[in-house]
Amino acid sequence: HFFQILVFLFILLIATGIAKVTTNLVSKAVKAKNLKMTHLMQDFLISMSGKAVLVLGVLFGLAQVGIDLTPVLAGFGIAGLVIGFALQDTLSNLASGMMLLIYRPFDVGDYVFAGGVNGKVSHMSLVNTTIRTYDNQIIIIPNSKIWGDVIKNVTHERIRRVDMVFGIGYKDDLLKAEWVIFKFFALTALLTRFVVTLAMPVAINKINKKTSI
């Protein structure tokens, strides 16, 4: 029995080393620029690659020391069923995390409206997503709440439209006001290299008692 324990520990040591090497190789592979994987996909593949090798190593080690794996695997199945009933909410978040992993509606660093929260995505996992709000608060949202609600990715597109409203008096020159507005945005585009479409509409939207907007 002592020799079998040594064999099992030796196999486990080798499996641990292979798992570390596999994790490093997968980490380098998924972070290649040409793959363009999301941070969630990268973390998932890196984590699962090492754990899969380690689990296979443990099973191989148990088989080599003469342990019948059939009852072990059956026990894992029963335990998984019990744990599944106990952790229904967690599994729901996990399933939603897989959907976010597949469809990729946003990534770390994007500004989003998700789960009723506005802010910048600072971290993603298969269970929850961490968003830093504009007033620098950290909010952790379960993935099931995000996937079951409206998701708005503000920074997905490079060019976006922004509506701005300015009020002027009835005695002011409307054409001059339009020219000042247009000149302001053109100068802003020149100084900041932002894209401002030349077909930018400037029009009266609403007339109040004292001002036009």
Side-chain angles (χ1 to χ4, degrees), residues 102-193:
I102 295 171
Y103 288 99
R104 302 186 298 177
F106 55 83
D107 196 6
V108 174
D110 288 342
Y111 286 90
V112 300
F113 174 79
V117 178
N118 272 308
K120 182 179 180 180
V121 180
S122 60
H123 178 71
M124 296 177 65
S125 70
L126 289 178
V127 178
N128 55 56
T129 299
T130 303
I131 295 180
R132 184 185 296 273
T133 62
Y134 298 119
D135 54 353
N136 207 32
Q137 297 183 43
I138 297 295
I139 299 180
I140 301 176
I141 310 172
N143 284 338
S144 59
K145 185 174 182 180
I146 292 178
W147 185 250
D149 203 349
V150 175
I151 300 174
K152 180 172 70 174
N153 191 332
V154 179
T155 53
H156 185 271
E157 297 297 332
R158 178 173 171 268
I159 300 175
R160 299 185 303 277
R161 168 176 167 169
V162 177
D163 293 331
M164 303 184 72
V165 180
F166 302 93
I168 63 173
Y170 281 111
K171 296 182 180 180
D172 295 324
D173 189 340
L174 182 60
L175 294 178
K176 184 177 180 180
E178 291 180 355
W179 169 245
V180 169
I181 293 173
F182 184 82
K183 185 170 65 173
F184 169 77
F185 284 107
L187 182 61
T188 302
L190 181 64
L191 295 177
T192 62
R193 298 182 181 179

Side-chain angles (χ1 to χ4, degrees), residues 82-95:
V82 174
I83 293 173
F85 279 111
L87 302 176
Q88 292 184 16
D89 293 338
T90 301
L91 293 177
S92 175
N93 291 328
L94 186 64

Side-chain angles (χ1 to χ4, degrees), residues 23-77:
T23 300
N24 292 332
L25 292 176
V26 172
S27 177
K28 292 179 181 179
V30 299
K31 291 180 180 179
K33 294 183 179 180
N34 58 333
L35 291 181
K36 296 181 180 179
M37 289 187 178
T38 63
H39 285 76
L40 181 58
M41 176 69 80
Q42 292 176 9
D43 294 340
F44 175 74
L45 293 177
I46 293 171
S47 175
M48 291 304 297
S49 61
K51 291 178 181 177
V53 172
L54 194 58
V55 169
L56 290 176
V58 171
L59 294 177
F60 180 75
L62 292 175
Q64 291 304 308
V65 298
I67 296 178
D68 187 7
L69 296 180
T70 303
V72 176
L73 296 177
F76 281 150

